[in-house]
């Protein structure tokens, strides 16, 4: 077992979850496939059979797992309304779909930063970045926020801890663009990153202070940029011949 897998297992056991921060930043992708394969084998993951949740959607869904349940968000085919439902991890079934009362022109993006039920969902309508949030399981959803304009596609979101939200999108100038919040409500101004994108980006965080963002460029290459130690690094090409956004 290498030192990165050992860190994953030790941190996962301490938190009661497989999400963790690595003790140091390794090269961005040098041996990532090998580490991923080792981790999956060691933890003995088994995929359940496919299930049909019975909903009609016109874009890819977003999913968030938190405190024993997973929640879906999607754009409904008939009227482009943002919809949601949740299912229990214990396979006790799913709720009926709920209409969130807003229209979206893109697939949604969603994230949770804690186990108390905090949820943030982002989507694009008429080129504007829209946002809804909920503080915990017992709270109502916020009113719709308008965070930025000039979006050419759907957003992506990640969170490295309580209060931190990082949102990415492709601008109308095909520029990879980013804004963030440090307390969940106080937003930065949008800023362009180094990448030129022809598709919607994807982003993730594996620990405090770390963000990885991926996108497809005009040559159908998978591009990668990362944030660590309070600075952005990259970009790099890690694959070619992409047919869709990552």
């Amino acid at each position: 077992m290498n030192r990165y897998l050992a860190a994953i297992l030790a941190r996962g056991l301490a938190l009661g979850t497989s999400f963790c921060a690595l003790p140091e930043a390794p090269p961005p992708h040098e041996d990532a496939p090998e580490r991923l394969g080792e981790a999956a084998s060691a933890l003995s993951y088994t995929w359940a059979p496919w299930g049909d949740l019975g909903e009609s959607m016109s874009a890819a869904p977003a999913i968030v797992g938190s405190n024993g349940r997973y929640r879906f968000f999607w754009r409904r085919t008939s009227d482009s309304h943002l919809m949601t439902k949740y299912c229990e991890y214990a396979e006790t079934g799913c709720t009926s779909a709920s209409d969130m009362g807003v229209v979206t022109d893109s697939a949604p993006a969603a994230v949770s930063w804690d186990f108390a039920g905090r949820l943030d969902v982002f989507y694009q309508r008429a080129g504007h970045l829209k946002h809804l949030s909920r503080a915990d399981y017992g709270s109502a959803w916020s009113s719709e926020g308008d965070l930025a304009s000039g979006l050419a596609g759907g957003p992506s979101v990640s969170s490295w801890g309580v209060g931190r939200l990082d949102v990415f999108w492709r601008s109308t100038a095909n520029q990879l663009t980013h804004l963030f919040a440090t307390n969940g409500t106080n937003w930065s101004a949008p800023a362009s990153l180094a990448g030129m994108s022809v598709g919607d980006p994807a982003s993730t965080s594996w620990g405090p202070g770390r963000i990885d963002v991926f996108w497809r460029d005009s040559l159908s290459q998978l591009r990668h940029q990362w944030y660590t130690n309070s600075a952005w690094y990259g970009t790099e090409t890690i694959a070619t011949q992409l047919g869709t956004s990552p």
Side-chain angles (χ1 to χ4, degrees):
M1 181 183 298
N2 66 31
R3 60 194 178 99
Y4 298 113
L5 178 56
I8 288 172
L9 294 177
R11 182 64 171 167
L13 289 172
L15 295 177
T17 176
S18 59
F19 175 79
C20 62
L22 297 181
E24 59 185 78
H29 65 91
E30 182 178 278
D31 61 346
E34 290 79 4
R35 295 204 308 272
L36 179 61
E38 290 179 19
S41 176
L43 296 175
S44 300
Y45 290 139
T46 300
W47 287 100
W50 288 106
D52 188 343
L53 297 179
E55 306 297 342
S56 176
M57 59 189 69
S58 56
I63 182 172
V64 178
S66 177
N67 199 27
R69 62 178 55 172
Y70 47 97
R71 181 175 286 273
F72 300 91
F73 300 89
W74 70 94
R75 184 178 66 176
R76 186 164 59 189
T77 302
S78 61
D79 56 11
S80 296
H81 277 214
L82 182 64
M83 306 293 293
T84 188
K85 71 189 304 181
Y86 70 84
C87 306
E88 301 291 344
Y89 287 153
E91 307 298 335
T92 56
C94 300
T95 62
S96 298
S98 298
D99 189 334
M100 299 192 69
V102 297
V103 171
T104 174
D105 293 335
S106 74
V111 72
S112 176
W113 70 49
D114 63 21
F115 293 107
R118 169 74 189 207
L119 292 168
D120 290 85
V121 58
F122 301 84
Y123 50 98
Q124 180 261 126
R125 186 173 70 244
H128 285 246
L129 177 63
K130 301 294 187 177
H131 174 224
L132 295 170
S133 65
R134 190 187 70 178
D136 53 49
Y137 287 120
S139 298
W141 286 95
S142 69
S143 58
E144 185 180 61
D146 190 330
L147 302 179
S149 60
L151 276 72
S156 175
V157 61
S158 65
S159 175
W160 73 51
V162 173
R164 179 73 186 205
L165 294 165
D166 289 270
V167 186
F168 303 87
W169 66 89
R170 175 172 59 99
S171 74
T172 52
N174 290 328
Q175 187 74 40
L176 181 65
T177 308
H178 168 235
L179 89 169
F180 64 91
T182 54
N183 62 0
T185 58
N186 186 24
W187 290 93
S188 71
S192 297
L193 299 181
M196 297 294 290
S197 174
V198 297
D200 295 344
S203 61
T204 189
S205 173
W206 47 248
R210 174 75 185 209
I211 312 167
D212 292 86
V213 59
F214 305 84
W215 69 96
R216 180 169 64 104
D217 70 9
S218 60
L219 299 177
S220 296
Q221 299 176 124
L222 178 61
R223 302 285 289 171
H224 174 219
Q225 192 168 6
W226 63 99
Y227 180 90
T228 189
N229 297 324
S230 302
W232 284 100
Y233 296 90
T235 63
E236 63 171 356
T237 299
I238 58 176
T240 60
Q241 301 184 25
L242 269 72
T244 62
S245 299

